[in-house]
Amino acid sequence: MAAVKTNSCRVSSLFFLFSVFSLSQSLFNGGETFRRKLEVVLNPGRLSPPGGDLLHVRAVGDNDTLHYLFCSQGAPTLLLVHTNTTTSTLKVDWDKFLERNVSGSLKVEPESSIVYSKAVVVSRLLEYDDVNDTAEATSDLFPPYDLQNVSWSRMNLSGSSALLCSSALNNGSLCLQLSVFAEEGRDQPWPRLLHTGNSSQLAVWLDGVLPRATRSRFLLELQAAGGANPLNSVEVKRSIDDEYSPSVFQVSQWMSNSSEVGGFVQWRPVAYRRSSPALEEVTPCRHSSPRRPSDEAAVSAASGLIKAFYDEPETFALNVSFGLSGEPFYNSTRFLRWTVLVGVGAPPMDTFSPLVLAIMAVGLGTPMILLLLGGVYVCIRKRAAPSAAGYDPIN
Ligand SMILES: *[C@@H]1O[C@H](CO)[C@@H](O)[C@H](O)[C@H]1NC(C)=O
Ligand SMILES: *[C@@H]1O[C@H](CO)[C@@H](O)[C@H](O)[C@H]1NC(C)=O
Ligand SMILES: *[C@@H]1O[C@H](CO)[C@@H](O)[C@H](O)[C@H]1NC(C)=O
Ligand SMILES: *[C@@H]1O[C@H](CO)[C@@H](O)[C@H](O)[C@H]1NC(C)=O
Ligand SMILES: *[C@@H]1O[C@H](CO)[C@@H](O)[C@H](O)[C@H]1NC(C)=O
Ligand SMILES: *[C@@H]1O[C@H](CO)[C@@H](O)[C@H](O)[C@H]1NC(C)=O
Ligand SMILES: *[C@@H]1O[C@H](CO)[C@@H](O)[C@H](O)[C@H]1NC(C)=O
Ligand SMILES: *[C@@H]1O[C@H](CO)[C@@H](O)[C@H](O)[C@H]1NC(C)=O
Ligand SMILES: *[C@@H]1O[C@H](CO)[C@@H](O)[C@H](O)[C@H]1NC(C)=O
Ligand SMILES: *[C@@H]1O[C@H](CO)[C@@H](O)[C@H](O)[C@H]1NC(C)=O
Ligand SMILES: *[C@@H]1O[C@H](CO)[C@@H](O)[C@H](O)[C@H]1NC(C)=O
């Protein structure tokens, strides 16, 4: 009889634990996961165009479509177009597109279905000699690597991810890898940004590029172009959980300051000094505040995709600088990798993972259970004790 009782006890407590775990799982995954259907086409309607490739990923949701376009005609550019139908399509007039002098040669149709669009251009790589180790790029800048004039490899596709490299940049290579996602998750290498089915990830890395000074540091210039609600402010948020990107407690979000939910560019303010980094190879990075470039026409001229899609885009640009004063210089490893998320809607926010929650539950729950058990034990002992043998009233 007693054996049966303890068994059923064990089963019910197991069941209880399991249900708590699955409840926390579903709470923090938002229940059912949202999933898009991805269609990937390289150079739709044209074989190996001269001057660079155009990747098109169509991500179809329940009643909307996201078009991701990634292009190496000129400076590498990612264009994101959100439409409110599942039937919108891309149309490219290749002859005009390759001439790069008129807008309207690349369209998403029907145009009335476009809810939002934004393009991000990786425009320049800047290098400076940080002689006094201040990590301020005020003077001693070397001539920049203008990424529109760099010769890019053909895009290498694997699944819904594309690799673009320039392999002759001062004896090294500069690579960009775009990954488009169907659903929520995280990529393996740090910073393991949380992505959703409404975002894509761009990793940029420098490998073996010879520095032009022993104390060289680098900056990357990004430009964001689009219609209404330009990306004109960067917000830095703190997070309390660094489980996925060790020692990083901040996330930067480049968005529009208007209240309308449009799109975002999000990153952890770190770069990595090795391809499989250890903790000490994490290097902090900073951003400048977004500002209008002095010459907006030059932005369109630098990127074939922006020229083709936008008529008169509103543009904001910022610099991301790698390394702080006192940090090792680029020459120490000759490698730098930085990752950014580009998407529509609200930027994804990290919450505590089920693992951390379980640890917290055990950490906080165990003393409570011990207290409870202790109380029960005392109660039982009191009841079981024969009252006759107890204390008699003094009087
Ligand atoms: C998408 O379509 C479904 C069913 O057609 C509808 O219930 C839902 O509200 C729609 N969602 C949006 C965001 O329009
Ligand atoms: C674009 O360039 C082509 C050839 O370079 C030229 O024939 C055409 O007239 C130009 N179009 C415009 C609108 O400038
Ligand atoms: C899609 O968006 C356009 C422009 O915002 C709007 O006119 C149209 O009614 C929308 N269509 C649907 C199905 O929501
Ligand atoms: C570095 O420090 C020296 C001495 O303080 C100063 O003369 C020089 O201008 C500084 N160089 C830069 C680039 O700031
Ligand atoms: C890159 O090419 C553009 C257009 O050909 C030119 O105007 C610009 O000066 C070049 N930049 C560099 C750094 O050579
Ligand atoms: C494309 O990438 C795969 C794996 O990422 C690699 O094995 C292959 O050599 C690459 N192809 C080219 C042409 O770079
Ligand atoms: C850079 O590349 C050139 C040609 O490929 C080679 O001759 C030279 O030795 C390389 N320099 C270094 C420092 O590796
Ligand atoms: C992604 O976009 C779809 C359609 O607009 C929306 O229903 C969904 O909530 C979005 N997901 C996230 C995580 O923002
Ligand atoms: C980079 O460091 C190496 C030693 O690690 C040194 O030989 C080389 O000269 C340095 N490069 C430059 C450009 O100073
Ligand atoms: C957004 O920023 C612009 C200047 O960059 C400013 O004029 C505008 O008032 C701001 N809007 C809001 C809602 O803060
Ligand atoms: C990025 O930094 C360089 C060098 O300091 C500067 O010339 C350029 O204007 C900066 N770009 C932006 C967008 O702030």
Side-chain angles (χ1 to χ4, degrees):
M1 197 58 207
V4 171
K5 216 164 196 178
T6 37
N7 262 343
S8 79
C9 243
R10 204 172 287 159
V11 167
S12 65
S13 58
L14 259 180
F15 179 74
F16 172 74
L17 260 182
F18 177 75
S19 52
V20 165
F21 189 72
S22 50
L23 178 73
S24 64
Q25 278 268 17
S26 62
L27 257 180
F28 287 88
N29 287 345
E32 209 171 286
T33 47
F34 170 74
R35 200 182 159 84
R36 286 181 187 275
K37 199 167 128 277
L38 302 183
E39 295 159 17
V40 184
V41 186
L42 188 60
N43 301 316
R46 174 102 188 201
L47 227 69
S48 306
D53 287 324
L54 172 68
L55 174 76
H56 177 217
V57 182
R58 214 167 153 261
V60 186
D62 295 334
N63 27 19
D64 68 341
T65 307
L66 281 170
H67 295 268
Y68 296 91
L69 291 148
F70 186 47
C71 185
S72 56
Q73 295 268 345
T77 305
L78 171 64
L79 169 67
L80 201 62
V81 183
H82 188 197
T83 65
N84 62 6
T85 74
T86 53
T87 52
S88 56
T89 53
L90 176 76
K91 209 178 117 194
V92 188
D93 180 339
W94 277 101
D95 294 335
K96 282 194 187 148
F97 183 72
L98 294 176
E99 268 162 21
R100 285 172 53 183
N101 58 4
V102 287
S103 82
S105 59
L106 181 145
K107 285 180 183 159
V108 171
E109 292 185 327
E111 266 173 278
S112 65
S113 71
I114 298 177
V115 187
Y116 180 81
S117 73
K118 193 65 66 194
V120 176
V121 187
V122 184
S123 51
R124 293 196 297 169
L125 176 71
L126 300 131
E127 179 182 357
Y128 64 101
D129 185 4
D130 194 7
V131 275
N132 293 339
D133 195 8
T134 56
E136 299 288 345
T138 41
S139 58
D140 290 318
L141 275 157
F142 290 106
Y145 295 104
D146 202 346
L147 301 189
Q148 62 174 307
N149 301 356
V150 156
S151 73
W152 297 99
S153 66
R154 306 245 55 127
M155 270 183 213
N156 191 352
L157 283 191
S158 84
S160 60
S161 131
L163 178 66
L164 182 66
C165 281
S166 171
S167 46
L169 207 71
N170 216 354
N171 279 35
S173 57
L174 169 66
C175 293
L176 293 94
Q177 182 161 32
L178 175 77
S179 309
V180 176
F181 305 109
E183 60 184 344
E184 188 174 287
R186 289 174 201 276
D187 252 12
Q188 198 45 56
W190 286 343
R192 305 206 63 200
L193 294 172
L194 174 68
H195 59 245
T196 68
N198 296 338
S199 56
S200 59
Q201 180 175 290
L202 194 62
V204 183
W205 68 89
L206 272 178
D207 190 359
V209 175
L210 290 179
R212 287 174 275 184
T214 316
R215 310 192 127 208
S216 273
R217 292 191 197 278
F218 284 89
L219 303 165
L220 199 62
E221 187 184 64
L222 303 179
Q223 290 169 332
N229 302 330
L231 303 184
N232 56 6
S233 73
V234 180
E235 201 182 330
V236 179
K237 293 216 153 162
R238 304 203 137 265
S239 66
I240 36 179
D241 184 7
D242 74 335
E243 187 186 352
Y244 298 105
S245 352
S247 81
V248 191
F249 291 95
Q250 287 184 334
V251 58
S252 306
Q253 294 173 179
W254 187 13
M255 296 166 70
S256 162
N257 69 348
S258 86
S259 53
E260 234 167 282
V261 188
F264 63 87
V265 179
Q266 185 195 57
W267 65 88
R268 292 268 184 171
V270 283
Y272 296 92
R273 279 188 274 108
R274 276 197 202 284
S275 54
S276 10
L279 206 50
E280 59 272 18
E281 283 142 4
V282 180
T283 197
C285 61
R286 291 172 301 163
H287 61 267
S288 64
S289 52
R291 59 179 186 81
R292 283 183 192 281
S294 45
D295 185 3
E296 285 188 81
V299 178
S300 300
S303 158
L305 200 48
I306 289 193
K307 183 78 202 173
F309 187 75
Y310 289 110
D311 204 0
E312 276 182 350
E314 281 220 59
T315 308
F316 274 82
L318 57 73
N319 280 335
V320 177
S321 65
F322 304 109
L324 299 180
S325 168
E327 289 278 318
F329 298 99
Y330 167 78
N331 194 31
S332 66
T333 56
R334 295 190 184 167
F335 184 91
L336 265 182
R337 192 184 69 231
W338 181 68
T339 307
V340 65
L341 210 65
V342 182
V344 300
M349 275 306 288
D350 271 320
T351 50
F352 284 117
S353 71
L355 176 68
V356 170
L357 284 173
I359 291 170
M360 274 180 3
V362 169
L364 296 175
T366 311
M368 292 296 284
I369 290 170
L370 286 179
L371 266 174
L372 260 169
L373 286 181
V376 169
Y377 177 72
V378 167
C379 270
I380 291 172
R381 278 298 295 261
K382 263 196 170 165
R383 286 201 169 185
S387 56
Y391 303 98
D392 286 325
I394 295 177
N395 290 323

